[in-house]
Amino acid sequence: MSDLSTNILTIIAEIYIRPEHKDAILGAVAACVIASRLEPSNISYDCKRDQNDPKHLVFIEQWESLDALLIHEQTAHFLAMKETFTAGLERPLTVTLLEPCPRMA
Amino acid sequence: MSDLSTNILTIIAEIYIRPEHKDAILGAVAACVIASRLEPSNISYDCKRDQNDPKHLVFIEQWESLDALLIHEQTAHFLAMKETFTAGLERPLTVTLLEPCPRMA
């Protein structure tokens, strides 16, 4: 489904985990993945690990709109995950909001 | 389809375009997107633009296996796109090979 005619929002979010916080963070991320996929306006929500750096996790998410993402960021599961990031990351969470590329299907 | 039981390869690739090379690169990328999706072992192939930096493009790709990606990287459409990157990028292409996260669906 091309998002040219819709306002589907794709985002890439990345974290680098401090090893000593790995269990707490992976647990919160796993719970957030499951709960986020159940949100009515979520289209897809995946968290994958960098094959070359196990501390580096990449979230690939699609939401029906920016509003859907903003609602997501107020959910208990997101806030619980975000809490673990406070002390648990080597560098700040990065979030890249993506839009369709000009001239592309 | 969870890739836990399969060896689906998800990759994130990123480029930062030199403005003066924008048309050449976008043209080659558009052709590569279309042709890549037709490759038998491609699952998905998208190129999106960073809402906050129009020079920053993010490819989100899924391949049946690493071999499928390696075959892709020898195709005419990929090599033609890569050719435009030689002089056209502000910094080198980055490619992150992703794998399933432990403890996650």
Side-chain angles (χ1 to χ4, degrees):
Chain A
M1 177 177 56
S2 155
D3 52 15
L4 280 177
S5 60
T6 63
N7 53 1
I8 287 178
L9 175 64
T10 300
I11 76 169
I12 300 289
E14 301 185 55
I15 59 173
Y16 288 81
I17 301 174
R18 290 185 195 281
E20 64 275 24
H21 290 264
K22 179 182 152 193
D23 287 342
I25 288 181
L26 285 182
V29 168
C32 189
V33 167
I34 292 168
S36 300
R37 289 175 179 170
L38 298 176
E39 291 182 52
S41 56
N42 177 258
I43 295 165
S44 64
Y45 194 103
D46 285 301
C47 179
K48 296 194 180 293
R49 184 171 63 181
D50 182 336
Q51 289 189 11
N52 297 308
D53 180 358
K55 301 192 312 299
H56 179 206
L57 300 191
V58 179
F59 295 78
I60 305 170
E61 309 171 28
Q62 286 203 309
W63 297 93
E64 286 180 358
S65 63
L66 179 59
D67 287 345
L69 175 62
L70 298 177
I71 291 166
H72 165 66
E73 291 180 343
Q74 300 309 315
T75 60
H77 48 274
F78 177 83
L79 294 171
M81 178 177 73
K82 191 178 173 187
E83 182 61 34
T84 66
F85 291 172
T86 309
L89 300 188
E90 288 187 344
R91 62 186 97 161
L93 162 74
T94 60
V95 179
T96 305
L97 301 183
L98 298 173
E99 62 190 8
C101 236
R103 299 171 48 176
M104 294 203 194
Chain B
M1 178 173 60
S2 154
D3 54 11
L4 278 177
S5 59
T6 63
N7 53 3
I8 286 179
L9 175 63
T10 301
I11 76 169
I12 300 288
E14 301 184 58
I15 59 173
Y16 288 82
I17 302 174
R18 292 185 193 281
E20 64 275 23
H21 290 265
K22 180 181 149 193
D23 287 340
I25 289 181
L26 286 182
V29 168
C32 190
V33 166
I34 292 168
S36 300
R37 289 174 178 170
L38 298 175
E39 291 182 51
S41 55
N42 178 256
I43 295 165
S44 65
Y45 194 103
D46 286 301
C47 179
K48 295 192 181 291
R49 184 172 62 179
D50 182 336
Q51 289 189 13
N52 297 307
D53 181 356
K55 299 193 312 298
H56 179 205
L57 301 190
V58 178
F59 295 77
I60 306 171
E61 309 171 27
Q62 286 202 309
W63 297 93
E64 288 180 358
S65 63
L66 178 59
D67 287 346
L69 175 62
L70 298 177
I71 290 167
H72 164 67
E73 290 180 344
Q74 299 310 314
T75 61
H77 48 274
F78 177 82
L79 294 171
M81 178 176 73
K82 191 178 173 186
E83 182 61 32
T84 67
F85 293 172
T86 309
L89 301 187
E90 287 187 345
R91 63 186 96 161
L93 162 74
T94 59
V95 179
T96 305
L97 301 183
L98 298 172
E99 61 189 8
C101 236
R103 298 171 51 176
M104 297 210 188

